[in-house]
Amino acid sequence: MNRGNGVKTKIPGGIPAKELENFGEVLDQFVSYLQEKPESRSIAYLAKEMHEVKCCYRCGFTYQEGNICPKCGNQANR
């Protein structure tokens, strides 16, 4: 697979050649999604049991007080 920047990457696992372009587009969208809110997706952040500054897992909003995101209402933040 050519990433467009001259670097080629081999993908093992038997993805048919006619599906590689679609696979690459979906993968690119997924990487973009992860890059939108990097703090809440980092392993170091996720590994902490308690957070001084909380980063909402749903919307990426950062806040300090409470366990409910003031922006989107997500209650899974600790």
Side-chain angles (χ1 to χ4, degrees):
M1 175 172 20
N2 189 334
R3 292 195 260 172
N5 59 2
V7 178
K8 291 187 177 184
T9 303
K10 290 186 179 184
I11 300 175
I15 298 173
K18 64 183 179 182
E19 295 294 323
L20 283 177
E21 188 172 337
N22 289 337
F23 178 77
E25 289 174 10
V26 170
L27 189 58
D28 186 50
Q29 291 172 0
F30 181 64
V31 170
S32 295
Y33 164 75
L34 292 176
Q35 290 173 336
E36 286 177 10
K37 300 167 188 85
E39 185 179 357
S40 65
R41 308 290 193 268
S42 75
I43 293 173
Y45 181 85
L46 293 170
K48 291 180 183 177
E49 193 168 317
M50 297 296 290
H51 305 280
E52 188 175 308
V53 176
K54 297 168 182 87
C55 183
C56 180
Y57 297 124
R58 182 190 292 163
C59 72
F61 185 76
T62 55
Y63 59 98
Q64 292 183 331
E65 300 296 322
N67 290 327
I68 300 173
C69 176
K71 185 174 180 183
C72 72
N74 187 25
Q75 298 181 23
N77 303 304
R78 294 183 212 182

